[in-house]
Amino acid sequence: MEQSIQQKIDHWLKSDIDQDLKSQIEKLMSNGNNDELVDSFYRDLEFGTGGLRGVMGPGTNRMNKYTIGMATQGLANYLKQNFDDQEIKVAIAHDSRNNSRKFAEITANVFSGNGFKVYLFEDLRPTPELSFAIREFGCQSGVVLTASHNPKEYNGYKAYWDDGAQVIAPHDKNIIAEVNKITDFNQVKFEGNPDLIIPIGKDVDNKYLDQIKSLSLNEEAIKSNSEMKIVYSPLHGTGITLVPEILERFGFKSVHIVEEQAKPDGDFPTVVYPNPEESEALSMGLNKAKEIDADLLMATDPDSDRVGIAVKNHNNEWQLLNGNQTGALLIYYVLQAYKEKNGFEGNEFIVKTIVTTELIKDIADGFGVQSYDTLTGFKHIAALIRKLEGKEKYLVGGEESYGYLIGDAVRDKDAIASCALIAEMTAWAKSKNKSLFDLLLEIYKEFGHYNEYLFSLTKKGKSGAEEISKMMEDMRMKAPDSLGGIKVTKVSDYLTQQATDLASGDTTSIDLPKSNVLQFFLADGSKVSARPSGTEPKIKFYISVKKDLAEISEFDNSLDSLNQKAEKIKKDLGL
């Protein structure tokens, strides 16, 4: 074992740390489990741009009392620098993962030990409610303990700023710098001040749910379809606390919970991954939906910021919708219903990320509503909402990874509100004798038939990272003339912040932060995005293909054609 790793182990064993963590280290040593020991101590768990995420256990590369304490102390020190002339308040929430409550209480103790007023949720709550609480109590920051849809061994720590959004530049890098200055456990104020920790619960729930209820755009459609059958699964997460209640408040009377997945459980016993993007995670829900002949199936991830849905398709078979399809449906519905209820004033806008389907932009254009693109990650959508606050009116936005936000009272993706509005949208379609899939086909006919595919290429080790870097460099040096036999007309390079028209050679600047992403726009409206992961030896290719759909009856043939087009593009990319 390397000397530096052994020194870290010795330091932990000699320090005044909790006996249970010491015992876990000693057990690893006595078992001769060197691989696990090395992985636990070979590096420090990094406080990244959104916070911490890692496997739970003892060591510098694990989620535990001390890594969380040091991260919180660093964040506290940065907050003192930025808000030294006022009382500092923070809000804290946690999901259903193992140790999440314990980690939330440690975080509360460190903040209160620094003299901050702490609003700590009394029990598990959805991540979007944490965002709401930050704004409700006028907090300068907030933290939620969650690892989203990661396996059960993981936990995480997400940091928020005073607008209720995850931290962005320059705060993210500045917080990281402060966290890295904490070199010893003794620098962390673990001894909390109970007088400064205020438990919060049902009162905040009610305000949050009232805000969501105010988003309703079609009460009549719900009244006429209040007995519509909805199946819902929280996948052992926080959604059970509020999704059934908001559906009841909206007026839905036939909500069927997947009971095997209703109880919050950090072991996620019925799924491999608690991820609503995975068909396996929704299999129990699908069985129940078929059993009762439901109209809609919805499932939320453990911290309830993302939602996956399934509906019956044109062949009366249950089909999972991807994030692009659900996002397009939701944005179409909100714009259509908003237009009918309020009419547009001309200053409204919607937002999507650059790798999300262009169908959403086409829909917004069709309604005469401004659409904006941001970099991948919902914090960028929130940053744009903040930038335009008081000038333009945000209505709805989303990203391909199953995250959506209606209204701006919350500044993170919100599966609680999304479930309510998706159910309302289903009732609205049903009042017109349509299913959600019927509505999706009508959207394809009006705006173009899009289909999206995500391919990931993993290249392990140092050589793999170099290979991925070379792939991006080669594509930058010489963009492909065509992909799948279709001419490439424009290349957008988010690292150089330049978009190039390949026919004229003209360039225009991209008004977004630098990011290692390349996009190729094709003559038929298709789009290919290449994006290396910042945390894994992986590169992702987002392939979005498009064609006109003259008649809905031609959908199956059109889908076959799009699948073939995507395969040709994939082959040209060497995937």
Side-chain angles (χ1 to χ4, degrees):
M1 187 182 297
E2 290 180 20
Q3 187 178 359
S4 60
I5 297 172
Q6 187 62 57
Q7 286 173 345
K8 283 184 177 182
I9 296 170
D10 292 342
H11 175 71
W12 275 58
L13 290 173
K14 291 173 184 174
S15 298
D16 186 24
I17 65 169
D18 291 353
Q19 185 56 47
D20 66 323
L21 288 177
K22 274 188 183 178
S23 298
Q24 289 177 53
I25 297 170
E26 289 165 351
K27 185 178 179 181
L28 289 174
M29 293 173 73
S30 64
N31 290 345
N33 197 336
N34 271 7
D35 288 346
E36 181 68 17
L37 263 177
V38 168
D39 195 53
S40 298
F41 284 94
Y42 85 97
R43 65 169 191 152
D44 292 346
L45 188 65
E46 293 180 1
F47 191 101
T49 52
L52 299 170
R53 186 174 295 189
V55 174
M56 291 177 280
T60 59
N61 190 35
R62 292 288 185 264
M63 289 287 293
N64 54 61
K65 173 181 178 178
Y66 300 96
T67 52
I68 286 169
M70 293 165 83
T72 306
Q73 187 63 55
L75 175 54
N77 292 347
Y78 185 67
L79 289 169
K80 289 175 188 175
Q81 293 170 21
N82 280 264
F83 303 102
D84 62 343
D85 58 343
Q86 56 190 282
E87 177 188 44
I88 299 177
K89 298 178 285 185
V90 295
I92 302 171
H94 66 86
D95 69 4
S96 59
R97 287 180 176 273
N98 297 327
N99 292 316
S100 279
R101 181 67 193 180
K102 175 184 173 183
F103 291 161
E105 290 174 350
I106 290 166
T107 304
N109 283 336
V110 175
F111 278 138
S112 65
N114 279 273
F116 298 177
K117 182 181 283 189
V118 179
Y119 296 95
L120 175 64
F121 277 98
E122 63 190 3
D123 201 351
L124 75 167
R125 286 298 191 280
T127 287
E129 191 177 3
L130 181 276
S131 174
F132 177 84
I134 291 170
R135 296 170 61 77
E136 174 68 21
F137 292 112
C139 296
Q140 286 77 21
S141 183
V143 169
V144 62
L145 283 303
T146 178
S148 188
H149 57 276
N150 277 59
K152 64 182 181 180
E153 298 81 11
Y154 284 76
N155 215 316
Y157 175 110
K158 290 201 290 192
Y160 289 74
W161 205 242
D162 61 355
D163 61 341
Q166 287 189 58
V167 292
I168 58 166
H171 302 305
D172 50 5
K173 298 290 195 298
N174 293 341
I175 293 168
I176 291 168
E178 290 300 320
V179 172
N180 290 338
K181 289 178 186 176
I182 308 296
T183 57
D184 193 271
F185 307 144
N186 295 327
Q187 296 171 264
V188 182
K189 297 180 180 179
F190 282 113
E191 193 67 39
N193 182 347
D195 294 337
L196 291 176
I197 301 175
I198 302 160
I200 56 174
K202 200 64 185 173
D203 287 349
V204 182
D205 294 344
N206 285 327
K207 289 179 180 179
Y208 172 58
L209 293 172
D210 285 346
Q211 174 267 321
I212 294 175
K213 183 65 174 68
S214 73
L215 299 172
S216 177
L217 292 162
N218 218 313
E219 293 180 5
E220 288 304 314
I222 295 173
K223 283 179 184 175
S224 61
N225 292 284
S226 61
E227 300 293 338
M228 180 183 83
K229 294 177 185 176
I230 300 169
V231 172
Y232 168 67
S233 173
L235 299 180
H236 303 290
T238 60
I240 194 65
T241 61
L242 295 180
V243 171
E245 185 170 350
I246 192 61
L247 291 175
E248 182 182 346
R249 289 193 184 200
F250 262 61
F252 294 103
K253 300 175 181 176
S254 186
V255 179
H256 303 260
I257 310 298
V258 181
E259 293 299 337
E260 301 93 329
Q261 298 176 327
K263 184 181 177 183
D265 188 334
D267 287 329
F268 309 113
T270 66
V271 295
V272 178
Y273 296 105
N275 185 355
E277 293 185 55
E278 302 283 345
S279 58
E280 180 272 333
L282 273 67
S283 59
M284 283 187 169
L286 280 169
N287 289 338
K288 192 171 189 73
K290 292 171 185 174
E291 177 190 322
I292 68 170
D293 191 28
D295 294 279
L296 174 68
L297 163 65
M298 299 186 289
T300 51
D301 63 346
D303 68 323
S304 301
D305 60 356
R306 300 184 308 128
V307 56
I309 75 170
V311 296
K312 280 183 278 190
N313 66 18
H314 58 308
N315 295 318
N316 208 35
E317 298 169 341
W318 280 91
Q319 179 173 330
L320 303 181
L321 298 189
N322 64 42
N324 286 297
Q325 291 170 321
T326 303
L329 277 165
L330 191 55
I331 286 169
Y332 176 87
Y333 169 68
V334 169
L335 293 183
Q336 179 64 40
Y338 190 89
K339 177 183 177 182
E340 291 174 1
K341 184 177 181 179
N342 304 309
F344 296 119
E345 296 177 8
N347 65 338
E348 296 86 357
F349 71 97
I350 65 105
V351 194
K352 69 176 188 67
T353 64
I354 57 175
V355 298
T356 302
T357 179
E358 294 299 309
L359 174 57
I360 288 173
K361 181 184 186 306
D362 292 349
I363 290 169
D365 289 347
F367 281 96
V369 171
Q370 175 69 54
S371 66
Y372 292 104
D373 275 342
T374 71
L375 295 179
T376 307
F378 223 90
K379 62 184 180 180
H380 297 295
I381 291 178
L384 182 64
I385 295 171
R386 182 170 191 164
K387 179 181 176 182
L388 297 176
E389 201 164 10
K391 304 169 192 171
E392 298 180 33
K393 183 175 182 178
Y394 171 82
L395 295 181
V396 60
E399 58 185 358
E400 43 71 43
S401 54
Y402 293 63
Y404 319 103
L405 174 64
I406 304 98
D408 64 359
V410 167
R411 298 297 169 91
D412 205 351
K413 46 190 181 289
D414 186 345
I416 311 302
S418 297
C419 282
L421 269 292
I422 288 168
E424 180 179 284
M425 169 174 67
T426 307
W428 176 75
K430 196 173 176 70
S431 69
K432 298 178 181 297
N433 297 313
K434 299 172 188 173
S435 69
L436 274 194
F437 203 82
D438 292 333
L439 181 59
L440 182 63
L441 296 184
E442 289 183 4
I443 290 171
Y444 285 154
K445 184 183 176 191
E446 182 175 357
F447 299 103
H449 186 186
Y450 285 82
N451 215 44
E452 280 74 31
Y453 312 78
L454 175 61
F455 298 101
S456 294
L457 203 59
T458 300
K459 302 280 187 179
K460 292 186 176 179
K462 182 173 180 290
S463 61
E466 290 170 351
E467 195 174 339
I468 289 172
S469 180
K470 180 78 163 51
M471 287 174 68
M472 292 296 288
E473 185 183 333
D474 289 346
M475 286 188 287
R476 280 197 169 89
M477 292 294 291
K478 190 177 188 325
D481 297 322
S482 65
L483 287 168
I486 305 151
K487 189 175 179 60
V488 176
T489 58
K490 186 177 81 167
V491 178
S492 290
D493 187 342
Y494 294 85
L495 197 58
T496 63
Q497 298 172 301
Q498 293 287 318
T500 305
D501 184 307
L502 296 189
S504 66
D506 293 342
T507 61
T508 53
S509 61
I510 297 172
D511 186 23
L512 289 174
K514 286 186 177 184
S515 183
N516 190 15
V517 180
L518 279 171
Q519 286 190 314
F520 307 103
F521 294 86
L522 280 55
D524 66 348
S526 299
K527 176 180 75 175
V528 177
S529 308
R531 177 174 169 260
S533 169
T535 56
E536 302 173 88
K538 182 187 292 186
I539 182 169
K540 292 182 178 180
F541 289 90
Y542 304 78
I543 298 174
S544 174
V545 288
K546 180 192 178 185
K547 72 185 300 291
D548 291 335
L549 182 66
E551 297 295 336
I552 286 174
S553 59
E554 297 174 6
F555 171 75
D556 287 328
N557 289 334
S558 179
L559 183 58
D560 286 342
S561 175
L562 292 178
N563 287 336
Q564 291 170 24
K565 188 184 292 190
E567 282 300 316
K568 288 178 183 176
I569 291 173
K570 182 182 172 185
K571 186 177 179 182
D572 285 352
L573 291 168
L575 301 177

